[in-house]
């Protein structure tokens, strides 16, 4: 069994609103993507593929270096996963971890725990605790308070036995994560609690927070 890593980084980062693709935005003076690759460095993966915006494959290649292979992603996250999966060309017994480049602060033990859960269950997601009290809202008014104990924030990595991910990819549907596609196919998905440091850099505020964390890690 091989452990394979797919980092999806082909998005533009429209909500971040920067001229360069989000994965190349500087964090502590170097590209966000290089932080994400560092987070995975302590965990042994047999192959790594990174998806890049089609016109930036060479630039991304300079960041990734010998840490993986860069391939052109697609118009949607699901399309990028499809292309990355094809480039990895896994055997059905392999485990494939899919990770958002925009989540740079994973801990190695969290990555290992997601891989182990995927081996056992077939699919597993990193998930963060929901700390706010969540309200269901309609037309600016609170409708109900949702039971928080039944909620989790879906993060990445999400890992799959390659045979499972192959089915998900073949279904050809769109979703914001692969686990949602497993759910639609009725396949079990294990949940691995992870620290809220696995947050996704989505907005300028997220980047500000990430800069503060990066500054502490450099010193
Ligand atoms: N992603 C991708 N291919 C796409 C869209 C997204 O590989 N066509 C990747 C992003 O690069 C990111 C991850 O999926 O690492 C999570 O997506 P998101 O945070 O939504 O990033 P963007 O799509 O780039 O940002 P936005 O939605 O604000 O444009
Ligand atoms: Mg997006």
């Amino acid at each position: 069994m091989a452990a394979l890593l797919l980092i999806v980084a082909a998005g533009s980062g429209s909500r971040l609103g920067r001229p360069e693709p989000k994965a190349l935005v500087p964090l502590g003076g170097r590209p966000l993507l290089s932080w994400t690759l560092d987070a995975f460095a302590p965990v042994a993966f047999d192959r790594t593929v990174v998806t890049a915006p089609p016109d930036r494959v060479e630039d991304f290649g300079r960041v990734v270096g010998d840490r993986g292979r860069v391939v052109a992603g697609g118009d949607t996250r699901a399309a990028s996963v499809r292309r990355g999966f094809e480039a990895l060309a896994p055997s059905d017994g392999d485990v494939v971890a899919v990770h958002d480049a925009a989540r740079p602060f994973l801990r190695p033990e969290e990555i290992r725990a997601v891989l182990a859960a995927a081996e056992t269950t077939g699919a597993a997601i990193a998930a963060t605790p929901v700390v706010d009290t969540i309200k269901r809202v309609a037309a600016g008014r609170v409708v109900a308070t949702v039971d928080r104990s039944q909620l989790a924030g879906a993060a990445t990595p999400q890992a799959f036995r390659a045979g499972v991910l192959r089915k998900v990819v073949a279904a050809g549907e769109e979703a914001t994560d692969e686990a949602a596609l497993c759910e639609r196919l009725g396949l079990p998905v294990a949940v691995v609690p992870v620290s809220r440091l696995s947050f996704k850099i989505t907005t300028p505020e997220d980047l500000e927070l990430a800069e503060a964390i990066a500054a502490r890690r450099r010193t």
Side-chain angles (χ1 to χ4, degrees):
M1 182 214 88
L4 310 178
L5 174 60
L6 170 56
I7 297 183
V8 281
S12 63
S14 54
R15 287 169 288 180
L16 196 56
R18 300 276 292 241
E20 65 272 67
K22 184 157 71 178
L24 298 185
V25 164
L27 177 61
R30 59 195 175 90
L32 165 54
L33 177 60
S34 88
W35 287 85
T36 308
L37 288 163
D38 284 357
F40 279 84
V43 183
F45 281 94
D46 297 277
R47 294 196 292 285
T48 297
V49 161
V50 177
T51 67
D55 59 338
R56 303 303 290 266
V57 170
E58 278 186 21
D59 297 329
F60 275 57
R62 277 190 284 278
V63 176
V64 174
D66 61 5
R67 295 190 280 185
R69 184 153 79 90
V70 179
V71 301
D75 288 342
T76 62
R77 188 179 178 287
S80 292
V81 169
R82 212 170 297 138
R83 294 204 179 164
F85 183 81
E86 283 160 13
L88 279 169
S91 306
D92 277 354
D94 296 343
V95 170
V96 182
V98 180
H99 183 69
D100 295 332
R103 300 180 192 268
F105 299 126
L106 260 317
R107 295 170 175 155
E109 60 271 23
E110 295 174 334
I111 298 167
R112 291 191 193 101
V114 173
L115 288 173
E119 256 186 271
T120 311
T121 307
I125 64 169
T128 53
V130 173
V131 294
D132 293 324
T133 296
I134 304 292
K135 304 289 186 188
R136 196 180 306 284
V137 174
R141 298 271 175 104
V142 170
V143 176
T145 300
V146 181
D147 178 8
R148 194 170 58 194
S149 69
Q150 293 197 1
L151 299 179
T156 71
Q158 303 196 342
F160 307 86
R161 273 193 236 122
V164 170
L165 191 54
R166 196 183 308 283
K167 272 187 213 150
V168 164
V169 165
E173 289 183 39
E174 291 300 322
T176 50
D177 71 0
E178 287 59 59
L181 300 175
C182 282
E183 295 152 36
R184 276 182 222 164
L185 294 173
L187 302 168
V189 180
V191 175
V192 176
V194 297
S195 142
R196 291 168 72 215
L197 283 173
S198 69
F199 72 98
K200 183 160 68 70
I201 299 175
T202 306
T203 63
E205 298 78 36
D206 295 330
L207 186 60
E208 219 176 306
L209 184 59
E211 283 289 8
I213 296 166
R216 280 181 65 105
R217 300 218 169 164
R218 270 185 306 164
T219 54

